[in-house]
Amino acid sequence: MVEAMIYILRCGCPWRDVPEIFGPWSSVYTRWSRWAEEGVWAAILDLLAQDAEGELRHLDSSHIKVHQDASNPAGGQENQGFGRTKGGLNTKVTALVDGRGRAVQLTLAPGNRNDTIAAEEIVLPTKKRVVADKGYDSDAFRERIKAVGSQSCIPPRAGRRAPAKCHRGFYRKRHRVENFFQRIKRRRRIGTRYEKLDITFFAFLTLAAVLDWLKPF
């Protein structure tokens, strides 16, 4: 069952095209749907994240193009993380990774949502240094980081009257979160969103993040 799920994640094929060696496709899909609803992969990721390393936590978001077959979920797009941008219909994935670039937390939001608003569901770590790009240059977001006893490393936007300081040495390591997105998007089920429902697409995201912890690809 798990091998079939990983096959779908990697190839991005329809469920009905699962090779017969894995068993009936309907059985695989039923188990996948059940585990997605129960949050099995998210629970495994939370367990792995307890071994996160380093003082730095890197934060960023990435857009994922929504396939046309996923664009008409029952009940409408509003509640399924769809947002229209200049590039079309997108979903925004926000990730917080540890010092080695492994996911600690993941969230979904519509593609047209502001980065700082999309990151509101992220539980900020305590006594760490949060590294992010200019998209997170917000006084309110810096206060959120400070309130949990952590420090921020966010470069100020141009034109700031009172720009905050940013440690360049720490900021140079921000590529680790970008590398994380690059790795998981090699899986075709992540590179393009084929899932109509947030719950099933988020399950694929967390499965990819779990595999990144267990065996980087």
Side-chain angles (χ1 to χ4, degrees):
M1 287 287 183
V2 174
E3 290 182 359
M5 297 172 188
I6 295 175
Y7 179 88
I8 288 285
L9 171 68
R10 180 173 61 85
C11 297
C13 66
W15 287 100
R16 293 177 183 272
D17 291 343
V18 172
E20 294 182 359
I21 191 175
F22 296 124
W25 74 266
S26 57
S27 298
V28 177
Y29 176 77
T30 299
R31 184 67 60 85
W32 172 260
S33 180
R34 185 185 307 161
W35 285 1
E37 291 179 1
E38 295 174 354
V40 170
W41 300 114
I44 295 175
L45 181 60
D46 289 341
L47 183 63
L48 292 171
Q50 294 178 10
D51 293 328
E53 298 180 9
E55 175 195 356
L56 303 181
R57 294 292 179 268
H58 308 280
L59 179 70
D60 202 1
S61 62
S62 181
H63 287 94
I64 294 180
K65 186 76 172 179
V66 176
H67 192 271
Q68 61 181 2
D69 292 340
S71 62
N72 59 338
Q77 300 175 351
E78 293 76 12
N79 300 320
Q80 301 302 332
F82 295 149
R84 192 165 297 279
T85 65
K86 293 181 180 180
L89 206 59
N90 285 275
T91 291
K92 177 173 286 189
V93 179
T94 301
L96 184 73
V97 306
D98 71 350
R100 294 179 58 185
R102 302 170 300 184
V104 177
Q105 291 184 57
L106 295 169
T107 65
L108 285 181
N112 56 354
R113 184 166 294 177
N114 180 274
D115 285 351
T116 55
I117 298 176
E120 287 180 351
E121 296 183 14
I122 294 288
V123 179
L124 296 174
T126 59
K127 298 181 180 179
K128 299 294 181 181
R129 190 182 298 269
V130 179
V131 183
D133 63 17
K134 293 181 180 180
Y136 297 90
D137 180 27
S138 162
D139 292 338
F141 188 68
R142 292 177 188 276
E143 286 300 320
R144 273 192 62 202
I145 297 174
K146 184 177 179 180
V148 296
S150 293
Q151 298 178 336
S152 60
C153 181
I154 304 172
R157 296 179 182 177
R160 268 279 201 172
R161 293 185 177 180
K165 295 182 179 180
C166 176
H167 193 288
R168 292 187 178 181
F170 293 139
Y171 186 73
R172 288 193 187 100
K173 299 179 181 180
R174 194 186 65 84
H175 66 87
R176 290 173 181 172
V177 65
E178 296 176 347
N179 292 348
F180 165 75
F181 284 125
Q182 183 185 42
R183 291 195 300 272
I184 66 170
K185 283 186 176 182
R186 290 175 182 168
R187 308 289 181 165
R188 296 194 66 184
R189 207 77 180 193
I190 305 299
T192 302
R193 175 171 174 170
Y194 299 100
E195 306 299 318
K196 294 184 178 183
L197 302 180
D198 267 2
I199 189 171
T200 51
F201 182 61
F202 187 73
F204 275 118
L205 280 171
T206 49
L207 173 57
V210 166
L211 293 176
D212 192 50
W213 269 87
L214 300 179
K215 185 178 180 180
F217 49 83

